[in-house]
Amino acid sequence: MTFISKTATASVLLALLAFPFSAQQSFPVVSTVDEPSIAGRAVALDSNGKLLPWPMPENTGYSYSSYFLSQWTILWDQYQRQRLPYFYCCFDFDRKTYELIPDQHYVNSTAYLRAMMQGFVERLYAYTGDPRTLEFLQNFVDYELEHGTTPANYAWSGVPYPSANPGAREYSGWSEHGEDFIEPHVVGEDGYAYLRLYEMTGNTKYLQAAIRCAAALVKNFKTGDKDNSPWPFRCHARDGSLANGKGMGPYSANVVEPIMLFDELIRLRQGDVDSYQRIRDGAWNWLMKYPMVNNLWVGYFEDVGPNMENMNQVIPLEFARYVLLHPEKDARWREHARQLMEWVKSTPKWPKYIVHGATVTTEQGDGKSFCCNLPNQCCDSHTSRLAAVEAFYYAKTGDAAYKEAAYRSYNWATYFQGLPGGAHAPFSTQWWFTDQFSDGPRRMMDAFWAVPEWAPRDESHLLGSLSAVTKISYGTGSVTYSTFDDASTDVLRLDFVPQTVMADGQPLRELHELSASGYSFDSSSRVLRIRHAHARNIDVRGKSGGVVPALVTFDDPHLAAGTVLNGGYPSSQVDWGNSVWKIAPPGGQFATFHVVLAGASARSAKLKFSSPRIFVGIDVCNDGTEDAAIAIRSPEQQEQTVTLHAGELRRIRTGWIKPSLTVEFEFHNPGGLRFDNLAYAQP
């Protein structure tokens, strides 16, 4: 996610020389690159030759959710073991074992990684109800608050440093740009993330951190002009000066992040609201007068020096997303959002590609050099951002052309889930925690909020809300959750038909349009929209859907590739027998660790539960060249038989409703079979 700076480390420069970036010539603004693979994975096309998603082309919900759930799985594994995101921006991985190896040389992008991660986890917690997501995020942010904020006597006091030296346990900036500096736009971005985390958890230390960020932005605001933004791109933290710092610079177009922080504090009536409103209006006026007129969208990334030629797509697209979610803030939201999307897709500053009908954007450039790699090797997060804005534009306007554009671009991004061997970040074989594991997933999750019929049809999920979700639980035929705000409009997709929708214990009425408190339900798509004006606690119940299973993902706890299972895994609840199954690294159509048969010629296998459980099903892909068949049986159940064609991925669901102690499998042509996401439930 980086544009190489003149002062890059020797190791990065050496890597740079190995890639086309260093030898880039003039490039077409838009070119067609209909290659047979993306990120090393074979493409799937519809009857019109347009791109379908990976790994299950006919199932958008599975493929899109697999993208962000795979990235979360890897993050949680790292949290349990190495905690690499705390100290390193990026990593490589062994192509056989898929163990992660930190990059020891490049800047650690600490601050906006945490802001992006907050955005991802805010959506992920609501979607899954998994409390581990909150544990991960709070620990992540707490580390920054303890090890990466400026002293209280500074002009920029109590705010996050934007970066750190590689592997540094204490953050004070990247020495390639200087020491002891801050980036004001990141102060706004992190401050907003702190504030949303306060809303999610109720922990006031995050509120106070957000207020410190806002106070520093107020204190150091200037009116700005065409050459100077209201806050500099980068400055010394002690006194706000730009002197004697090779990486300091006076201009960043990214004022939408501070604006978002001020808007939310004003809405909550927290802190110095009058000052926030005044500074917010000043920043808005500057944004409208300069960047929205001259398209000088520069000044975002932590490893880029001051450069008025190097444009990026993050700032304009994040601003477009903001006005689409908050049209009340901008009377010209429709015009502005479209203007920004079309600028990103047409600017000559960096190349764009059409891949089987999907528009792919790279990250940034100056018209001669650009970031990042050759087509279909990187930039899933940035293409997901473009797709998210187009999807929200469709949701607000009904313009179906933008829905189609978003769908194809999102489909392209799905090929990058997990750790695909045929893709990588710029300059080397490394991957970024920002792009692939926080920014990309959060913008992929926007797909379901904007177009809820893309979400999995056979599961229940809360897909989107402007209000933070403070708690949520999913049951058979039920979703129960609480929002931070008593007024909110929430979007869900259900696997059941709701019979009652309660808000603080009072029934809501079913309405055709949500012009008042109530709910609407589309029986064909099973999309539920709830508007509540004076209640925080929502309870949805209906005719039973599927059970909500526990999953064995074979990533938690992590076992090395090739480990043969003997007895219980992940605990004593599931006994895999002796030397029948073994752990496999990502492969086939699975982006994370999974299991295969220890003996490729095995004709049968079984597993046992410590006490009776309902075997809900398992994901199976056939990585072989011939059809394979699986018979699944249990003494208490009706046998299920499934045939998988070569290259096919299937989510098998047994439909069993009775508990079993033992589940037996019988195979035909099992040599290419891979298994993941074993699902079981309490009776």
Side-chain angles (χ1 to χ4, degrees), residues 400-453:
Y402 282 90
K403 179 184 179 183
E404 169 67 12
Y407 176 65
R408 300 303 175 182
S409 292
Y410 271 135
N411 289 350
W412 182 88
T414 62
Y415 286 77
F416 290 81
Q417 60 190 272
L419 299 170
H424 47 80
F427 322 130
S428 72
T429 53
Q430 65 192 8
W431 285 87
W432 295 88
F433 283 111
T434 44
D435 295 42
Q436 281 76 40
F437 295 90
S438 52
D439 193 22
R442 68 173 177 165
R443 294 296 165 250
M444 178 64 77
M445 296 201 77
D446 282 343
F448 293 166
W449 188 2
V451 189
E453 60 265 31

Side-chain angles (χ1 to χ4, degrees), residues 88-212:
Y88 299 97
C89 72
C90 40
F91 60 90
D92 197 354
F93 62 94
D94 185 286
R95 290 330 191 252
K96 291 184 178 180
T97 67
Y98 281 76
E99 298 296 343
L100 273 58
I101 308 164
D103 185 318
Q104 302 283 350
H105 304 289
Y106 212 50
V107 56
N108 184 9
S109 43
T110 57
Y112 68 67
L113 169 58
R114 280 146 187 82
M116 292 175 177
M117 198 69 76
Q118 184 282 324
F120 176 29
V121 171
E122 179 178 337
R123 291 155 185 78
L124 186 65
Y125 172 64
Y127 185 88
T128 64
D130 187 346
R132 300 177 305 170
T133 60
L134 296 181
E135 176 190 342
F136 170 84
L137 180 61
Q138 290 182 89
N139 192 284
F140 206 40
V141 172
D142 288 350
Y143 189 92
E144 177 184 75
L145 291 175
E146 294 168 7
H147 299 274
T149 55
T150 59
N153 62 341
Y154 276 22
W156 287 88
S157 63
V159 302
Y161 286 106
S163 54
N165 288 317
R169 264 50 179 175
E170 302 292 326
Y171 309 153
S172 61
W174 186 33
S175 58
E176 290 291 330
H177 289 321
E179 292 289 344
D180 202 27
F181 62 82
I182 58 96
E183 294 173 4
H185 66 284
V186 175
V187 171
E189 189 171 7
D190 245 24
Y192 180 75
Y194 295 148
L195 191 53
R196 295 297 288 190
L197 185 52
Y198 155 70
E199 294 173 16
M200 294 168 67
T201 65
N203 192 327
T204 56
K205 73 177 177 181
Y206 303 127
L207 171 62
Q208 295 307 313
I211 289 173
R212 288 195 298 271

